[in-house]
Short mmCIF file of all heavy atoms in Angstrom, two decimals:
data_model
loop_
_atom_site.label_atom_id
_atom_site.label_comp_id
_atom_site.label_asym_id
_atom_site.label_seq_id
_atom_site.Cartn_x
_atom_site.Cartn_y
_atom_site.Cartn_z
N LEU W 15 80.49 111.31 110.93
CA LEU W 15 79.70 112.26 110.14
C LEU W 15 78.84 111.46 109.18
O LEU W 15 78.88 110.23 109.17
CB LEU W 15 80.64 113.16 109.32
CG LEU W 15 81.41 114.22 110.07
CD1 LEU W 15 82.42 114.86 109.15
CD2 LEU W 15 80.47 115.27 110.61
N ALA W 16 78.11 112.15 108.34
CA ALA W 16 77.35 111.46 107.30
C ALA W 16 78.31 110.63 106.46
O ALA W 16 79.40 111.06 106.12
CB ALA W 16 76.62 112.48 106.44
N GLY W 17 77.92 109.43 106.15
CA GLY W 17 78.81 108.55 105.40
C GLY W 17 79.84 107.95 106.33
O GLY W 17 79.55 107.60 107.46
N SER W 18 81.07 107.87 105.86
CA SER W 18 82.10 107.22 106.65
C SER W 18 83.19 108.18 107.13
O SER W 18 84.28 107.75 107.46
CB SER W 18 82.73 106.10 105.82
OG SER W 18 83.33 106.66 104.67
N VAL W 19 82.90 109.47 107.18
CA VAL W 19 83.90 110.45 107.62
C VAL W 19 83.76 110.68 109.12
O VAL W 19 82.70 111.00 109.62
CB VAL W 19 83.74 111.79 106.84
CG1 VAL W 19 84.77 112.79 107.33
CG2 VAL W 19 83.88 111.56 105.35
N GLU W 20 84.88 110.51 109.84
CA GLU W 20 84.89 110.75 111.28
C GLU W 20 85.29 112.17 111.60
O GLU W 20 86.03 112.79 110.85
CB GLU W 20 85.93 109.85 111.96
CG GLU W 20 85.54 108.44 112.18
CD GLU W 20 86.61 107.71 112.95
OE1 GLU W 20 86.68 107.85 114.19
OE2 GLU W 20 87.40 107.02 112.30
N LYS W 21 84.83 112.69 112.75
CA LYS W 21 85.33 113.93 113.33
C LYS W 21 86.14 113.52 114.54
O LYS W 21 85.64 112.83 115.42
CB LYS W 21 84.18 114.84 113.77
CG LYS W 21 83.37 115.39 112.63
CD LYS W 21 82.44 116.53 113.03
CE LYS W 21 81.53 116.21 114.17
NZ LYS W 21 80.57 117.29 114.44
N VAL W 22 87.41 113.95 114.58
CA VAL W 22 88.33 113.54 115.64
C VAL W 22 89.04 114.76 116.19
O VAL W 22 89.48 115.62 115.42
CB VAL W 22 89.37 112.53 115.09
CG1 VAL W 22 90.39 112.16 116.14
CG2 VAL W 22 88.68 111.29 114.55
N SER W 23 89.17 114.83 117.51
CA SER W 23 89.92 115.92 118.11
C SER W 23 91.39 115.80 117.76
O SER W 23 91.98 114.72 117.89
CB SER W 23 89.74 115.91 119.62
OG SER W 23 90.59 116.89 120.20
N ALA W 24 92.00 116.89 117.37
CA ALA W 24 93.42 116.89 117.05
C ALA W 24 94.28 117.00 118.31
O ALA W 24 95.47 116.73 118.25
CB ALA W 24 93.74 118.06 116.12
N ALA W 25 93.66 117.35 119.43
CA ALA W 25 94.42 117.60 120.66
C ALA W 25 95.26 116.40 121.09
O ALA W 25 96.37 116.55 121.56
CB ALA W 25 93.47 118.01 121.78
N GLY W 26 94.76 115.20 120.93
CA GLY W 26 95.52 114.03 121.37
C GLY W 26 96.01 113.17 120.23
O GLY W 26 96.46 112.05 120.44
N LEU W 27 95.95 113.67 119.03
CA LEU W 27 96.34 112.91 117.85
C LEU W 27 97.74 113.30 117.42
O LEU W 27 98.00 114.46 117.09
CB LEU W 27 95.34 113.18 116.72
CG LEU W 27 95.46 112.34 115.46
CD1 LEU W 27 95.22 110.86 115.76
CD2 LEU W 27 94.46 112.83 114.42
N THR W 28 98.66 112.35 117.44
CA THR W 28 100.04 112.63 117.00
C THR W 28 100.10 112.50 115.48
O THR W 28 99.20 111.95 114.85
CB THR W 28 101.01 111.61 117.62
OG1 THR W 28 100.68 110.31 117.13
CG2 THR W 28 100.97 111.66 119.15
N ALA W 29 101.20 112.99 114.91
CA ALA W 29 101.40 112.86 113.47
C ALA W 29 101.42 111.38 113.09
O ALA W 29 100.79 110.97 112.11
CB ALA W 29 102.69 113.55 113.04
N ARG W 30 102.12 110.58 113.86
CA ARG W 30 102.18 109.13 113.59
C ARG W 30 100.78 108.51 113.67
O ARG W 30 100.39 107.72 112.82
CB ARG W 30 103.13 108.46 114.56
CG ARG W 30 103.26 106.98 114.31
CD ARG W 30 104.17 106.33 115.37
NE ARG W 30 104.28 104.93 115.11
CZ ARG W 30 105.33 104.35 114.56
NH1 ARG W 30 106.38 105.08 114.23
NH2 ARG W 30 105.35 103.06 114.35
N GLY W 31 100.03 108.89 114.71
CA GLY W 31 98.68 108.37 114.86
C GLY W 31 97.79 108.77 113.69
O GLY W 31 96.99 107.96 113.20
N PHE W 32 97.94 110.02 113.23
CA PHE W 32 97.16 110.48 112.08
C PHE W 32 97.50 109.66 110.83
O PHE W 32 96.63 109.20 110.11
CB PHE W 32 97.41 111.97 111.81
CG PHE W 32 96.76 112.44 110.54
CD1 PHE W 32 95.42 112.76 110.51
CD2 PHE W 32 97.49 112.52 109.36
CE1 PHE W 32 94.81 113.18 109.33
CE2 PHE W 32 96.91 112.92 108.18
CZ PHE W 32 95.56 113.25 108.17
#
Side-chain angles (χ1 to χ4, degrees):
L15 287 172
S18 61
V19 179
E20 281 184 80
K21 292 193 306 185
V22 176
S23 174
L27 188 63
T28 64
R30 182 183 180 103
F32 173 81

